[in-house]
Amino acid sequence: VDTGFWKERWESGQTGFHQDSVNIHLERFWQKAALARGAHLFVPLCGKSVDLLWLLEEGYRVTGVEVSPLAVEQFFEGNNLMARTEKVDGFIRYSVGDDLILWCGDYFELDRLRLGHIDGVYDRASLIALPPEMRGRYAAKLQELAPGATVFLVTLEYEQSQMPGPPFSVGHDEVTTLYSDSCHIEEVYSEEAIGENPRFAARGVDSLVERVYLLKKR
Ligand SMILES: C[S@@+](CC[C@H](N)C(=O)[O-])C[C@H]1O[C@@H](n2cnc3c(N)ncnc32)[C@H](O)[C@@H]1O
């Protein structure tokens, strides 16, 4: 699962992870992050998520990173947004005014100084998109890019032997291993969600637990 894998996924239209409506957990629990309007949010591995727009409409400044040029183009075209583009450090930086910026390129190559200060992070289908051997690096990079930020994290948990990822199963123990050095971890919500996810059931998964966490800097 490298960046080539994801670009190919977008090119062949295998984007079953994309949701046409705002993530239900985001709408329901975001206020628990207690971030004031005007705060700067970072959305790693953002795809063309409509959640970016929801956060923008809630009054935040939003910065995402996404490796697939197709995803980024579809995001702006699909939402009738005209973006300014410029090449910066091997990335293409898309901006709409001062409040919406998407960096098209590899998350692991992002420079923290380019990103600016981040108050909050929204991670849905990002950590769990990565295989186990990449998740430590992902979490460490997030700490580097957004030190001190409150992280709103949505995970999936299922029996990994029933289906190869992505998305991968990430359990509570792993969230603790990845983030407890720097963050206080609060599990805000969990639910059995196999009923609403027939594409997992079709692949042989019999139980799928969605969990929502808030990670707050110690
Ligand atoms: C499972 S999708 C989730 C997208 C989005 N978070 C959502 O909820 O729809 C993971 C996304 O991460 C992108 N991605 C994977 N590795 C990346 C990397 N190293 N840098 C930037 N984007 C990456 C993929 O192209 C894909 O769009």
Side-chain angles (χ1 to χ4, degrees), residues 193-213:
I194 194 68
E196 296 105 70
N197 287 279
R199 69 191 178 100
F200 288 83
R203 292 176 70 185
V205 175
D206 57 21
S207 164
L208 180 73
V209 177
E210 278 191 323
R211 291 187 204 279
V212 181
Y213 297 92

Side-chain angles (χ1 to χ4, degrees), residues 3 6 10 17 45-47 66-67 105-108 124-126 129:
T3 53
W6 288 104
W10 280 98
F17 50 80
L45 283 56
C46 62
E66 167 55 50
V67 77
D106 185 352
Y107 164 82
F108 293 100
R124 180 259 163 194
S126 307

Side-chain angles (χ1 to χ4, degrees), residues 120-121 123 142-143 149-153 179 183 213-216:
V121 172
D123 178 328
L142 197 60
Q143 291 306 307
T150 294
V151 181
F152 186 98
L153 169 67
Y179 289 113
C183 301
Y213 297 92
L214 267 184
L215 316 177
K216 289 199 175 160

